[in-house]
Amino acid sequence: MIMVKITIDGKTTEVERGTTVLNAARKLGIEIPTLCDHPELTPYGGCRLCLVDVEGAKTLQTSCTLPVSNDMVVHTDTQKIHDARKFILSMIFSERNHFCPYCQVSGGDCDLQNSAYAEDMTHWPIMPNWQPYPVDASHPFIILDHNRCILCRLCVRACGELVGNFTLGVEESGAESTLVADLGLPLGESSCVGCGTCVQVCPTGSIIDRWSAYQGKETEVDTTKTICRGCSIGCGIDVLTRDNRLVRIEGDWDAEINGGVLCEVGRFHPMVEERERLLTPMIRTNGKLKATSWDGAISATAEKIISSKGKFSGVASTRLSMEALNEFKAICDAFDADSIATTEGCAAISAIFDLAESSDKAFESKIDEIKDADCYLIIGEDTTKDHQVVSFFAKRQIPAGAKLIQISDCPTGIDNFANESLTIDKKSQSKLINAIGNLIARKSVDVEKIAKTFKLNVSSLKNVMRIMSSANKVAVIFGSRCEFDDATAVLESIISLNTLLNGKLITTKGNINSVGASMLGINNIATTDNSEVVLMALGDEELPQSFSRKFEKIPFSIIFSSYISPLTANADIVLPVQNWLEQGGHFINADGQILEAKAALEAPETVISNEESLLKLAAVLNIKKQQGWEEFVKKAPTPVTIN
């Protein structure tokens, strides 16, 4: 690492060669205004607001694109610079209908407004163009107001560089330049995946979400750093709240796993939650659920578990924390539950951990290791809809030359990005993967025969072989939420192929705590044949009707849930618990990282956490305090290295 010395406004520091003047200034705590720069994006130099005066240079320089040279001396606070900034801002204000002095949400959230106030600007030196521009409200989550757009292209670059979707662009030129989606489609009809990254990077109010406007400025909200629990990735998020109300969710730029990007599920779905909350314990009396006390509901639950004499099943959501799952398992074990299962009930996830137990070693890589691959093989999942952030890591490598191959039983959103998509039914996927492995290992060279056997295009299969053979770093992504007739065979073939390719393998798992539940031994598929009672710790998980129907014939059901659902409507005992925003805890994500979540909202008084509710039940059942879940983590086999 070669270090160079720079002096900015009389302060001297050393930075790595290649560092921009803007980032060197940030290191020294010197603020240089900018409208088009973002630490996670390639320097652009479009707005020109970050101009600085470099000794020896004839003109002012853009600090966001200028690399530091040894012994460089820079000034950021001269009259020449301030005059230039005012002129630049005046030109920006003249292009659109920017009514910053009269803005309804004036005071801190808009970088354009803040920059103008920093230069003591109180009016428009140049007459604005009063032409009205359209507002695009076609998207279910996002509103695009062209009147406030400054054409900084932050959204365009973020959509491409961070998300890899390349939906946004700019058409026309000069004063006629306009932000567009695809080839001029309304945003709601475009290829937008609804991740909202454009909303988060927009420096003005041009791209906003539908809920947080006028709900509280940055100086008026509380921010809680926690993790998303929408899938197994565990992305870092900032939850913004005000008066115990969710305002919006943003990606945490400092989060190691996701680096600030979020998917639609993580950013917007919590904002549109419409399920009705459960607020009081209930017991079915004379055919109807009637409110009762927590003590009464817990006592009735304990009596039913004891009287079942082991003829009961336990089902837990993999959205529950390690602390809650540990208590749930203790209750089920203490009374010899007929079955302990998860709401996922996925054969693929069970197969992953069975193989980990039989091999007694981790066989998966870390998610971070796939971010710079030059060939991606995605099997068994549409990652543009499920575990969406993983698809971002792959798609954004395409401009750098990365190739993408998909094997699936039906068309998916990845088809638009893939070099080759091999569509084949799930029953034949393991055989195809083995055949591809034989081709790579030179055990077979008859590509035409293999293509004919699996009804594939010969040229497509040949191209797949060329791509894999020429790749330097292959990433294999197995979508383990999918159901296979023989998940073990599919997984074994994938592992063998990955070994031949010397690649990096990750499996996406299911919910946020799929790994943790499996390590506790709660990864079975629910069986209810001999059960007279089912104890279900659902938390805030929303389950499909097909899952609910599995338990219709069980005589007695006890449900811990945050929301009213068909399951709670038919239950005999219902206990209200907190949702994910109201409780903290620990989770083990698909990457094997132990993550800590923090509560961002206070729950209603009559609602308690999943862990506390299960502890109450354990106390009434006289179950001794359990060893910490950490002890299970030390001993249990796992496909990923836990850290």
Side-chain angles (χ1 to χ4, degrees):
M1 181 185 299
I2 300 176
M3 306 297 290
V4 294
K5 185 172 70 173
I6 181 173
T7 301
I8 305 177
D9 293 344
K11 297 180 179 179
T12 301
T13 188
E14 285 190 344
V15 295
E16 186 178 351
R17 187 169 68 178
T19 303
T20 64
V21 171
L22 178 62
N23 286 330
R26 286 169 174 161
K27 181 181 177 182
L28 287 168
I30 297 171
E31 183 177 351
I32 299 175
T34 179
L35 294 172
C36 72
D37 181 79
H38 193 281
E40 298 298 323
L41 298 174
T42 303
Y44 178 64
C47 72
R48 323 303 289 179
L49 196 62
C50 67
L51 292 171
V52 294
D53 195 350
V54 180
E55 290 188 5
K58 294 182 179 179
T59 60
L60 298 179
Q61 305 290 311
T62 51
S63 62
C64 69
T65 60
L66 180 65
V68 170
S69 60
N70 201 33
D71 295 325
M72 178 183 280
V73 179
V74 178
H75 302 281
T76 71
D77 194 23
T78 66
Q79 189 58 47
K80 183 179 180 181
I81 292 172
H82 288 294
D83 291 343
R85 288 177 186 165
K86 285 185 178 180
F87 176 74
I88 292 164
L89 289 167
S90 298
M91 295 298 292
I92 293 174
F93 282 125
S94 71
E95 291 178 347
R96 300 285 169 105
N97 300 339
H98 299 292
F99 297 103
C100 287
Y102 313 106
C103 179
Q104 301 97 319
V105 290
S106 173
D109 285 3
C110 175
D111 290 346
L112 175 62
Q113 186 183 72
N114 294 341
S115 298
Y117 285 155
E119 298 302 327
D120 295 324
M121 294 180 68
T122 58
H123 61 284
W124 299 288
I126 301 174
M127 177 62 71
N129 174 12
W130 298 109
Q131 176 183 348
Y133 292 86
V135 175
D136 183 351
S138 62
H139 197 281
F141 306 127
I142 301 167
I143 294 174
L144 172 56
D145 185 352
H146 291 282
N147 295 282
R148 299 182 179 185
C149 181
I150 60 174
L151 299 169
C152 66
R153 292 169 174 78
L154 271 174
C155 57
V156 177
R157 291 148 57 209
C159 187
E161 293 183 32
L162 299 181
V163 181
N165 216 55
F166 305 97
T167 297
L168 299 176
V170 175
E171 68 177 9
E172 304 298 343
S173 61
E176 302 298 321
S177 298
T178 306
L179 180 68
V180 294
D182 294 333
L183 297 177
L185 290 174
L187 190 62
E189 300 174 16
S190 71
S191 61
C192 172
V193 295
C195 70
T197 306
C198 57
V199 176
Q200 189 165 339
V201 300
C202 181
T204 65
S206 179
I207 307 180
I208 61 174
D209 66 80
R210 288 183 174 273
W211 301 276
S212 67
Y214 311 107
Q215 295 297 310
K217 296 176 288 187
E218 289 183 3
T219 55
E220 300 171 342
V221 298
D222 297 315
T223 300
T224 304
K225 285 189 177 296
T226 183
I227 59 169
C228 174
R229 277 159 266 183
C231 77
S232 63
I233 307 303
C235 294
I237 58 174
D238 292 331
V239 179
L240 278 61
T241 58
R242 183 184 186 188
D243 299 330
N244 203 37
R245 184 185 71 250
L246 177 62
V247 174
R248 68 177 178 270
I249 294 173
E250 295 184 341
D252 180 1
W253 297 113
D254 297 324
E256 178 185 350
I257 297 170
N258 58 311
V261 294
L262 287 180
C263 70
E264 173 188 310
V265 172
R267 189 186 301 272
F268 292 127
H269 282 202
M271 306 299 299
V272 295
E273 177 62 74
E274 294 181 345
R275 289 179 293 169
E276 188 177 351
R277 286 297 298 268
L278 284 167
L279 297 175
T280 184
M282 292 182 286
I283 295 179
R284 189 170 297 279
T285 306
N286 297 325
K288 293 183 179 180
L289 284 172
K290 295 184 178 180
T292 185
S293 65
W294 264 100
D295 289 343
I298 290 292
S299 295
T301 298
E303 289 173 9
K304 200 65 185 179
I305 290 175
I306 294 169
S307 64
S308 71
K309 297 181 179 179
K311 290 186 177 182
F312 84 96
S313 300
V315 181
S317 168
T318 44
R319 285 174 59 89
L320 268 59
S321 68
M322 292 299 295
E323 291 85 354
L325 288 174
N326 194 26
E327 289 302 324
F328 179 81
K329 178 176 169 39
I331 292 169
C332 292
D333 285 347
F335 287 87
D336 297 321
D338 183 57
S339 169
I340 308 176
T342 68
T343 50
E344 289 177 351
C346 182
I349 295 173
S350 296
I352 291 168
F353 281 86
D354 288 344
L355 285 175
E357 185 173 5
S358 62
S359 62
D360 198 28
K361 64 178 181 179
F363 54 80
E364 291 189 41
S365 300
K366 295 294 186 180
I367 292 175
D368 197 53
E369 295 181 86
I370 72 164
K371 293 180 181 179
D372 60 348
D374 60 0
C375 175
Y376 292 89
L377 174 60
I378 301 175
I379 304 170
E381 184 172 274
D382 185 356
T383 51
T384 62
K385 294 181 179 179
D386 208 352
H387 301 95
Q388 201 176 51
V389 169
V390 172
S391 75
F392 299 166
F393 298 149
K395 291 190 300 179
R396 67 192 190 189
Q397 285 296 104
I398 293 175
K403 307 298 182 183
L404 204 158
I405 302 165
Q406 177 180 249
I407 298 176
S408 179
D409 65 331
C410 61
T412 75
I414 284 290
D415 291 339
N416 298 324
F417 301 90
N419 297 85
E420 294 293 345
S421 290
L422 305 181
T423 303
I424 183 169
D425 65 89
K426 291 180 180 178
K427 293 181 179 179
S428 303
Q429 286 187 15
S430 63
K431 295 177 182 177
L432 172 61
I433 295 165
N434 284 329
I436 291 173
N438 288 334
L439 287 172
I440 291 172
R442 304 295 183 184
K443 293 180 181 179
S444 171
V445 292
D446 197 343
V447 180
E448 289 81 2
K449 182 178 179 180
I450 292 173
K452 184 178 180 180
T453 299
F454 295 101
K455 298 179 182 180
L456 299 172
N457 182 279
V458 175
S459 60
S460 292
L461 186 56
K462 286 183 176 179
N463 193 35
V464 167
M465 302 312 302
R466 280 194 295 268
I467 291 171
M468 288 185 177
S469 299
S470 61
N472 293 314
K473 186 174 182 180
V474 178
V476 180
I477 301 168
F478 175 49
S480 46
R481 262 187 176 168
C482 295
E483 291 292 347
F484 294 90
D485 290 339
D486 192 347
T488 301
V490 174
L491 185 58
E492 287 177 338
S493 64
I494 290 171
I495 293 172
S496 297
L497 177 60
N498 182 67
T499 302
L500 285 170
L501 295 169
N502 194 27
K504 303 293 182 180
L505 168 66
I506 68 165
T507 62
T508 56
K509 319 294 189 305
N511 286 330
I512 178 62
N513 220 0
S514 290
V515 173
S518 295
M519 295 182 75
L520 290 172
I522 314 174
N523 65 344
N524 301 309
I525 299 173
T527 57
T528 60
D529 296 340
N530 300 316
S531 299
E532 296 179 359
V533 177
V534 62
L535 175 68
M536 304 180 73
L538 302 183
D540 56 10
E541 185 165 6
E542 186 171 10
L543 296 165
Q545 288 279 6
S546 58
F547 182 87
S548 303
R549 285 195 290 268
K550 292 181 181 179
F551 305 93
E552 288 178 349
K553 295 182 179 179
I554 295 184
F556 201 93
S557 60
I558 304 160
I559 313 289
F560 292 78
S561 180
S562 304
Y563 298 97
I564 293 174
S565 69
L567 278 169
T568 61
N570 294 318
D572 297 280
I573 301 176
V574 179
L575 301 105
V577 291
Q578 296 169 358
N579 66 26
W580 71 281
L581 285 167
E582 297 164 348
Q583 59 189 319
H586 290 84
F587 301 81
I588 304 177
N589 75 339
D591 210 24
Q593 294 191 48
I594 299 174
L595 305 174
E596 182 178 6
K598 296 182 179 178
L601 294 173
E602 292 184 9
E605 290 184 5
T606 54
V607 177
I608 62 178
S609 72
N610 290 283
E611 181 188 6
E612 185 180 354
S613 64
L614 292 167
L615 282 170
K616 281 179 176 288
L617 178 57
V620 174
L621 291 169
N622 293 317
I623 297 174
K624 295 180 179 178
K625 184 174 177 58
Q626 301 300 299
Q627 63 177 343
W629 56 268
E630 297 91 344
E631 295 301 316
F632 287 100
V633 171
K634 293 177 183 177
K635 302 173 184 176
T638 173
V640 289
T641 303
I642 304 299
N643 62 310

